[in-house]
């Protein structure tokens, strides 16, 4: 599995980093991750798990420093009143961030020194569990050498959304690792946006206790040179609810992995994505792995991709229903709208089911814009461009509707509309 | 869909299913063996064995070379492990690669000369090798029309073809239907041109193995413009112990021709697993159409998962010509392990491929089956309907690929994969690959997994059916789309098989 | 013919009593109607009588022609002559209506030790009975209840009843979802089956069905019990005054 890099070996580099800097309470977890990583090796195109996305670019060393992106451009949620946690060049920036002290929530950064921290027992835990049945080496690499991250402990009702924001100044690479723990019956809305770096490796580990809920809304855009690999891991307990939505625009290579385990009865997990891509260099990959390991749980995956000018969209989604996970309701849809001849959609929607009292389904479609619908709209006096935009937005709607907060959903729709109108001839 | 020809299933057939269950009592019906004197090649596989098989078949040198090349390659490659089936390591050296009844040492010149024991075997299987008789199960159709459907049979017993019926009548229509060993001798130009052209020697581990050691199989050539006057069929029977069956089938439908081909297979009950690795190649030229139907009923192993056939099959149709059409229909109820993906290469413009499948696994059976639809030509169409039923401790996987090449403009695919689970110890899995590389093509994939609906079962039972009848009825309903794609004589057998295969899965 | 004594039933999953001691007996040749507000336990009674899973009988007995049916499987009850016309007939994709009917008829005949019906006789009978219910050949060919309108489903239930010739018929809210014409047709089908040897239990929320299927006895059910029994005039009382008045009267 390991591939030989001529000059740069990420594992060697990670070994050096872990050995030469003691990171206090997270050190042990980092050493464990490094060990896993050494056994697994780095991914290559030959791995079934990387069948449709070439990981090479995510592994090489040399990156030219890319344009600076400031706070204004990064924060697409600026009209919302949120508590901002800002990372610049992969490091927490207290000056740009809001005061992290707030009611019912404890926020700290990964790079806090000392040997004791509540996150000690959580950091890297879900990443480690998620290394079976498939290796996710880039996540292990992240656990080993993450430069910073947000550690969020929710202990009650949090009024404002919490926002993780990334900007960049002069570094090409950021490796961030966030840990979010939501206590019993508590809830949080978590926003994430901004070009953190030209190359981003981000891991978010989410622990939802009984009856807890998290709504995660993420926007990836504005950075046309983005190379990103992200992992969201979540462990969802009884009656808890996990929701995650990602809007992706632009960028070059983006691989968003979401690995969820429904481990308590009657919990729910929804993960959705809308991605819009333009040009041959756009390659967007959504890889989702949902494990049902409890009774009467519900999961939903809704992924929509609009692709043009030779863009590539990838969807790999799996529902695994373990033995005994009866009354499972699993739904998955992946669809692509190909706006021209050269774009492509590659999908592998999987079901693996070992319990009988289940209702699981998946659907996948790919095709061009519906000419009849287009004609119908035009015949009512709508311009062809407007009609095409309307149909494209309608196509993406099922994914956007997964966002519960209407205000946030409006912002997302607005961003997609703007993206579409910028691309008119 | 409207343009696809569909064949009506006789009304009331479901009732016969139910009757069949009662009659058969759940036992594997074909588990007996024929006591007949056999001759074997020595156990194991090496160049000498390959040469021996070639020699037994009195093959020309080019064929021997072809086999040896395949063998050399096979020695260098590894068995694939990506499928969701698990079985103990196969010792390829602990098998016989050639076994034939001694009475077949000299090939009978006509069916009259065939060993009566062999004739009796096929008779007992319901496949009479006499031309005046028809395939068992063919009855008068509902509309009162006399069932005058002739079916020509090529009967393969372990490593050799026993005989082929209706050869003369077919010959007068210009159709060649014979064993592949005969074709290599009699029609070398056709075999040379087409053998390995759809499934290359290098295709995969089992196909390479088959290329080296195939002993017999069927050959069909339908000349331009000819509609084959009857259904053709091959009946495969494994009888000898510890013997692998490696058959090779080559079907060529020349321009504007049509042929419907049926395949059936059974084997005796044995405690040890047996290997079966076949290759089927179909060449479909311009405006030609081929229908290929299989009812696979190899011994599935006993209730505890002992014995059974390991079935590794490569089947592929190459729609070379414009407007060519191929339709695969399979009912997979047998075998301990099934690894099989009948595929269509839609090369010609406006060509069409269809795949209809029922795969039933019970007890400890495992099946990993599906299809590949590779769209290369413009305006090509494909349709996949897969029904997987899993019961007992069985694992049932649909694995498929739909690929739209950049040049396959205006093409369409529709895929429907449904899985049904009976009991909480079995598994049902769906692994589709969808690759769309142009935007004028439309691909639709739908899959569902559920258990047999309790309300449907209760409704049936309130009307007086017992649980097993109710399950058989509901499952047959679930499979209807595929059963309808089968020729009538197979549809009835298949419906019975559906019920029989699920025996003991409820209650 | 049907004797229900102090029948007490819980929902299997919850410890909740739904039927709290139902006493009822239906004589051969008679039509009994059960009326009652939503949630009174009417449909539960029909499911428990026919043997659906999910209910736990905690007390009482049910006898059909002297035989205890509570221990029987659903198909055994059917063979014993119990028929339930479902409130929501189940759709069974892929299974032809004719095939279904023939399988059911023959299963019951076999269970009773009778010979199977011949294909010709069966066809003749179905066609005859389907005609009077205005069920055409097309409907007979289609899969069981799949894509049927509400009226078609209910007519199909009555056709099954006619073919299976049960001793005891239970009609669960057969009028729900029917317009006046469809209801008339269904009622005619039911009336045609009335004879001295057959009992009927008609469960309904509204009186209107009873205009067409004249009951001999009317029971009012509320909160898991029969609270009042009377003649056909009781149904009219419900129609005119509503349930609340009757209920407050007995309470």
């Amino acid at each position: 599995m390991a591939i030989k890099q001529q000059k740069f070996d990420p594992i060697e580099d990670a070994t050096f980093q872990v050995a030469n800097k003691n990171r206090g309470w997270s050190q042990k977890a980092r050493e464990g991750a490094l060990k896993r990583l050494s056994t697994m090796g780095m991914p290559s195109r030959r791995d079934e798990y990387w069948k449709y996305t070439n990981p090479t670019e995510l592994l090489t060393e040399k990156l030219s420093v890319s344009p600076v992106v400031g706070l204004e451009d990064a924060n697409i949620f600026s009209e919302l009143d949120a508590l901002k946690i800002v990372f610049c060049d992969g490091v927490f920036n207290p000056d740009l961030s809001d005061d992290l002290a707030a009611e019912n929530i404890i926020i700290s950064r990964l790079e806090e020194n000392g040997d004791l921290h509540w996150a000690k027992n959580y950091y890297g835990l879900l990443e480690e569990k998620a290394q079976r049945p498939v290796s996710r080496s880039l996540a292990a690499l992240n656990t080993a050498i993450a430069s910073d991250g947000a550690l969020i402990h929710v202990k009650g009702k949090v009024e404002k959304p919490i926002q993780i924001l990334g900007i960049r100044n002069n570094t090409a690479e950021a490796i961030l690792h966030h840990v979010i723990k939501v206590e019993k019956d508590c809830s949080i809305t978590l926003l994430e946006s901004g070009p953190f770096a030209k190359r981003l490796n981000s891991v978010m580990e989410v622990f939802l206790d009984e009856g807890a809920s998290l709504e995660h809304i993420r926007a990836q855009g504005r950075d046309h040179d983005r190379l990103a690999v992200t992992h969201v891991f979540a462990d969802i307990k009884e009656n808890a609810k996990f929701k995650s939505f990602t809007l992706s625009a632009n960028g070059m290579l983006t691989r968003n992995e979401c690995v969820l385990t429904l481990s308590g009865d009657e919990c729910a997990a929804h993960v959705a994505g809308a991605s819009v891509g333009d040009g041959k260099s756009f390659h967007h990959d959504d890889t989702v792995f949902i494990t049902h390991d409890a009774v009467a749980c519900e999961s939903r995956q809704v992924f929509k991709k609009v692709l043009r000018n030779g863009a590539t969209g990838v969807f790999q989604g799996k529902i695994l229903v373990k033995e005994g996970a009866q009354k499972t309701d699993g739904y998955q849809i992946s669809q692509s709208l190909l706006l021209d001849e050269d774009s492509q959609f590659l999908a592998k929607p999987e079901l693996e089911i070992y319990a009988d009292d289940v209702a699981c389904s998946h659907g996948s479609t790919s095709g061009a814009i519906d000419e009849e619908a287009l004609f119908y709209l035009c015949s009512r006096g709508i311009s062809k461009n407007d009609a095409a935009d309307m149909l494209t937005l309608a196509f993406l709607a099922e994914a956007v509707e997964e966002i519960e907060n209407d205000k946030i959903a409006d912002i997302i729709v607005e961003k997609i509309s703007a993206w579409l109108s910028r691309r008119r001839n | 869909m409207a343009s696809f020809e569909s064949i009506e299933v006789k009304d009331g057939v479901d009732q016969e299913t139910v009757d069949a269950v009662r009659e058969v009592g759940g036992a594997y019906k074909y588990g007996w063996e024929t006591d007949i004197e056999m001759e074997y090649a020595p156990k194991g596989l090496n160049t000498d064995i390959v040469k021996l098989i070639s020699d037994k078949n009195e093959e020309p040198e080019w064929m021997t070379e072809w086999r040896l090349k395949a063998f050399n390659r096979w020695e260098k490659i590894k068995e694939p492990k990506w499928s969701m089936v698990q079985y103990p390591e196969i010792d390829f050296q602990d098998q016989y690669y050639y076994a034939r009844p001694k009475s077949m040492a000299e090939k009978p010149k006509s069916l009259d000369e065939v060993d009566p024991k062999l004739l009796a075997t096929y008779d007992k299987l319901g496949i009479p090798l006499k031309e005046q008789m028809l395939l068992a199960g063919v009855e008068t159709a509902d509309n009162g029309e006399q069932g005058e459907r002739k079916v020509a049979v090529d009967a393969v017993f372990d490593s050799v073809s026993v005989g082929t019926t209706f050869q003369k009548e077919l010959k007068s229509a210009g159709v060649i239907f014979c064993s592949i060993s005969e074709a290599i001798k009699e029609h070398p130009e056709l075999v040379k041109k087409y053998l390995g052209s759809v499934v290359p020697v290098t295709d995969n581990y089992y196909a390479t193995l088959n290329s080296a050691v195939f002993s017999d199989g069927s050959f069909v050539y339908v000349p331009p413009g000819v509609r084959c006057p009857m259904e053709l069929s091959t009946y495969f029977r494994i009888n000898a112990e510890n013997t692998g069956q490696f058959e090779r089938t080559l079907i060529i439908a020349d321009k504007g021709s049509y042929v419907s081909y049926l395949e059936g297979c059974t084997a005796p009950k044995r405690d040890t697993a047996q290997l079966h690795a076949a290759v089927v190649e179909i060449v479909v030229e311009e405006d030609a159409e081929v229908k290929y139907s299989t009812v696979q009923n190899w011994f599935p192993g006993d209730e505890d998962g002992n014995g059974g056939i390991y079935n590794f099959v490569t089947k592929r149709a190459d729609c070379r010509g414009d407007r060519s059409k191929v339709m695969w229909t399979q009912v997979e109820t047998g075998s301990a392990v099934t690894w099989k993906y009948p595929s269509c290469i839609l090369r010609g413009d406006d060509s069409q491929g269809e795949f209809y499948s029922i795969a039933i696994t019970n007890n400890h059976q495992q099946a990993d089956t599906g299809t590949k639809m590779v769209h290369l030509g413009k305006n090509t169409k494909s349709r996949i309907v897969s029904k997987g039923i899993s019961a007992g401790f069985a694992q049932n996987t649909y694995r498929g690929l739909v690929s739209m090449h950049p040049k396959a403009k205006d093409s369409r695919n529709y895929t429907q994969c449904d899985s049904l689970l009976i009991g909480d110890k079995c598994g049902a899995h769906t692994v589709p690959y969808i690759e769309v590389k142009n935007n004028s093509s439309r691909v639709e994939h739908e899959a569902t997994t559920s258990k047999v609906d309790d309300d449907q079962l209760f409704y049936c039972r309130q009307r007086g059916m017992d649980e097993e009848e109710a399950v058989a009825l509901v499952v047959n309903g679930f499979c209807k789309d595929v059963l309808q794609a089968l020729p009538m004589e197979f549809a009835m057998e298949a419906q019975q098989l559906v019920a029989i295969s699920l025996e003991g899965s409820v209650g | 013919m049907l004797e229900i004594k102090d029948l007490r039933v819980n929902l299997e999953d919850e410890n909740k009593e739904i039927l709290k001691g139902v006493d009822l007996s239906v004589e051969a040749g008679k039509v009994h109607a059960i009326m009652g507000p939503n949630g009174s336990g009417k449909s539960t009674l029909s499911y428990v009588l026919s043997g659906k899973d999910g209910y736990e009988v905690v007390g009482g007995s049910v006898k059909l022609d002297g035989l205890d049916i509570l221990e029987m499987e659903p198909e055994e009850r059917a063979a014993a002559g119990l028929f339930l016309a479902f409130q929501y007939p189940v759709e069974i994709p892929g299974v032809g209506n004719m095939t279904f009917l023939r399988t059911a008829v023959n299963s019951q005949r076999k269970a009773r030790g009778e010979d199977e019906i011949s294909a010709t006789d069966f066809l003749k009978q179905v066609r005859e009975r389907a005609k009077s219910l205005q069920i055409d050949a097309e409907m007979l060919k289609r899969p069981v209840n799949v894509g049927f309108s509400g009226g078609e489903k209910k007519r199909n239930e009555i056709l099954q009843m006619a073919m299976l010739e049960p001793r005891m018929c239970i009609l669960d809210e057969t009028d729900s979802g029917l317009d006046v014409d469809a209801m008339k047709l269904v009622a005619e089908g039911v009336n045609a089956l009335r004879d001295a040897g057959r009992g009927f239990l008609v469960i309904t929320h509204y009186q209107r069905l009873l205009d067409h299927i004249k009951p001999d006895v009317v029971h009012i059910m509320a909160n898991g019990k029969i609270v009042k029994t009377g003649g056909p005039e009781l149904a009219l009382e419900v129609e005119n005054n509503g349930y609340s008045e009757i209920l407050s009267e007995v309470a």
Side-chain angles (χ1 to χ4, degrees), chain B residues 252-278:
Chain B
I252 301 139
D254 217 324
K255 288 180 185 174
S257 67
Y258 167 85
V259 63
S260 168
Y261 183 93
L262 321 172
E263 176 197 72
C265 8
T266 58
K269 277 188 185 175
R270 296 196 198 286
D271 294 340
T272 48
Q274 274 180 286
L275 186 60
H276 173 256

Side-chain angles (χ1 to χ4, degrees), chain A residues 1-44:
Chain A
M1 194 194 273
I3 63 160
K4 281 213 170 80
Q5 294 286 327
Q6 286 173 329
K7 288 174 186 158
F8 180 71
D9 180 348
I11 299 177
E12 208 173 89
D13 177 65
T15 311
F16 179 81
Q17 287 196 41
V18 172
N20 283 282
K21 191 177 177 194
N22 191 317
R23 316 290 277 261
W25 61 268
S26 68
Q27 185 64 17
K28 207 175 154 213
R30 290 171 185 269
E31 284 164 7
L34 182 67
K35 212 170 154 195
R36 287 195 281 287
L37 180 65
S38 312
T39 325
M40 294 185 292
M42 297 309 279
S44 86

Side-chain angles (χ1 to χ4, degrees), chain A residues 2-218:
Chain A
I3 63 160
K4 281 213 170 80
Q5 294 286 327
Q6 286 173 329
K7 288 174 186 158
F8 180 71
D9 180 348
I11 299 177
E12 208 173 89
D13 177 65
T15 311
F16 179 81
Q17 287 196 41
V18 172
N20 283 282
K21 191 177 177 194
N22 191 317
R23 316 290 277 261
W25 61 268
S26 68
Q27 185 64 17
K28 207 175 154 213
R30 290 171 185 269
E31 284 164 7
L34 182 67
K35 212 170 154 195
R36 287 195 281 287
L37 180 65
S38 312
T39 325
M40 294 185 292
M42 297 309 279
S44 86
R45 192 77 198 257
R46 285 194 303 276
D47 296 343
E48 172 69 18
Y49 208 54
W50 289 86
K51 188 180 169 67
Y52 294 130
T53 297
N54 187 349
T56 318
E57 278 182 276
L58 297 166
L59 309 171
T60 48
E61 181 192 24
K62 285 283 172 218
L63 283 178
S64 56
V65 175
S66 46
V68 172
V69 181
L71 207 52
E72 257 168 60
D73 272 341
N75 188 6
I76 76 155
F77 299 113
S78 56
E79 59 195 87
L80 294 171
D81 179 21
L83 191 156
K84 291 191 286 294
I85 309 170
V86 182
F87 294 89
C88 179
D89 292 339
V91 177
F92 174 70
N93 184 317
D95 298 335
L96 295 172
S97 302
D98 292 334
D99 180 2
L100 300 186
E103 215 181 332
N104 293 328
I105 188 166
I106 297 172
I107 303 171
S108 50
R109 56 182 292 208
L110 177 59
E111 270 308 271
E112 245 162 43
N113 290 324
D115 289 330
L116 279 174
H117 196 279
W118 66 266
K120 189 176 177 180
N121 296 328
Y122 298 98
Y123 182 80
L125 188 68
L126 297 181
E127 173 265 303
E128 183 183 1
K129 275 191 185 161
Q131 297 300 350
R132 279 168 195 281
V134 278
S135 301
R136 298 167 216 273
S137 315
L138 292 165
L141 176 75
N142 179 300
T143 302
I145 62 170
S147 55
D148 215 336
L151 309 171
I152 301 173
H153 193 178
V154 182
K155 294 174 154 183
K157 191 171 162 51
V158 179
E159 293 294 336
K160 283 187 197 178
I162 305 297
Q163 182 174 16
I164 296 174
L165 201 54
I167 57 171
R168 59 203 212 184
N169 203 359
N170 57 22
T171 306
E173 182 143 22
I175 302 177
L176 293 169
H177 194 121
H178 314 293
V179 178
I180 290 117
K181 179 161 168 54
V182 187
E183 294 291 337
K184 190 168 186 254
D185 298 325
C186 301
S187 65
I188 180 179
T189 299
L190 186 68
L191 307 171
E192 197 184 350
S193 73
F196 291 82
K198 178 182 168 88
R199 186 162 71 202
L200 170 71
N201 180 338
S202 145
V203 165
M204 182 182 282
E205 296 184 275
V206 178
F207 298 84
L208 294 185
D209 225 324
E210 277 172 45
S213 75
L214 172 124
E215 181 164 27
H216 173 229
I217 296 110
R218 171 167 63 175

Side-chain angles (χ1 to χ4, degrees), chain B residues 22 459 461-463 469, chain C residues 73 75 110 157 160:
Chain B
R22 204 165 281 126
Y459 192 69
R461 293 176 73 192
Q462 206 299 309
R463 296 302 183 250
E469 275 180 304
Chain C
E73 293 295 325
E75 59 270 26
K110 267 184 248 176
E157 293 290 288
Q160 290 176 21

Side-chain angles (χ1 to χ4, degrees), chain C residues 3-245:
Chain C
E3 287 207 48
I4 305 173
K5 280 204 179 124
D6 194 29
L7 183 64
R8 292 170 186 276
V9 173
N10 282 7
L11 267 186
E12 212 163 57
D13 291 339
E14 303 159 45
N15 199 17
K16 189 182 162 196
E17 206 176 34
I18 300 191
L19 297 183
K20 302 172 179 172
V22 174
D23 286 287
L24 180 68
S25 62
V26 180
E27 311 79 17
K30 296 284 193 241
V31 173
H32 284 233
I34 295 187
M35 299 182 73
N38 291 329
S40 57
K42 306 187 302 279
S43 285
T44 299
L45 178 64
S46 72
Y47 284 140
V48 171
L49 292 177
S50 52
K52 196 175 199 253
D53 279 348
Y55 301 98
E56 189 192 352
V57 177
V58 289
S61 68
V62 178
K63 285 185 174 162
L64 181 63
D65 289 328
L67 287 172
D68 183 357
I69 62 166
L70 288 178
E71 289 304 310
M72 292 183 186
E73 293 295 325
E75 59 270 26
E76 292 166 344
R77 301 181 197 204
L82 186 89
F83 181 92
L84 169 66
F86 285 60
Q87 181 179 5
Y88 305 107
V90 179
E91 299 186 0
I92 311 180
V95 176
N97 218 355
M98 285 288 254
T99 306
F100 177 79
L101 254 178
R102 203 173 131 196
T103 309
V105 168
N106 282 332
S107 295
Q108 293 203 17
R109 282 177 165 241
K110 267 184 248 176
R112 293 192 290 255
E114 299 163 14
D115 283 342
E116 283 192 23
I117 188 167
S118 79
T120 6
D121 284 351
F122 173 76
L123 257 172
K124 219 177 112 195
Q125 280 187 31
V126 173
R127 283 191 184 136
E128 221 170 77
R129 289 167 197 187
K131 205 177 162 192
S132 61
L133 286 160
Q134 295 186 14
I135 292 173
D136 58 16
E138 163 65 21
M139 227 174 106
L140 289 171
K141 266 193 206 159
R142 272 151 56 186
V144 181
N145 294 326
V146 177
F148 285 24
S149 69
E152 285 173 334
K153 280 183 182 168
K154 295 297 166 76
R155 264 146 56 201
N156 200 30
E157 293 290 288
I158 305 304
L159 173 65
Q160 290 176 21
M161 188 166 48
M163 288 303 296
L164 294 167
E165 298 176 341
R167 292 264 293 135
M168 179 69 221
C169 307
I170 304 166
L171 281 73
D172 187 8
E173 307 259 2
T174 294
D175 53 333
S176 70
L178 295 187
D179 60 31
V180 179
D181 290 338
M183 189 159 60
K184 256 185 165 164
L185 205 57
V186 166
E188 275 165 24
V190 172
N191 289 331
L193 290 169
R194 287 178 78 156
D195 73 35
R198 189 170 283 142
F200 283 87
L201 187 60
V202 180
I203 294 171
T204 183
H205 185 83
Y206 300 106
Q207 184 266 345
R208 58 177 198 170
L209 179 67
L210 304 179
D211 284 344
H212 302 282
I213 304 173
K214 297 262 188 273
D216 298 300
V217 184
V218 175
H219 308 272
I220 306 293
M221 192 165 180
N223 196 20
K225 274 183 153 173
I226 305 279
V227 292
K228 193 169 183 184
T229 298
E233 73 286 348
L234 191 54
L236 287 170
E237 204 182 317
V238 169
E239 174 74 4
N240 295 332
N241 307 334
Y243 284 111
S244 47
E245 193 159 312

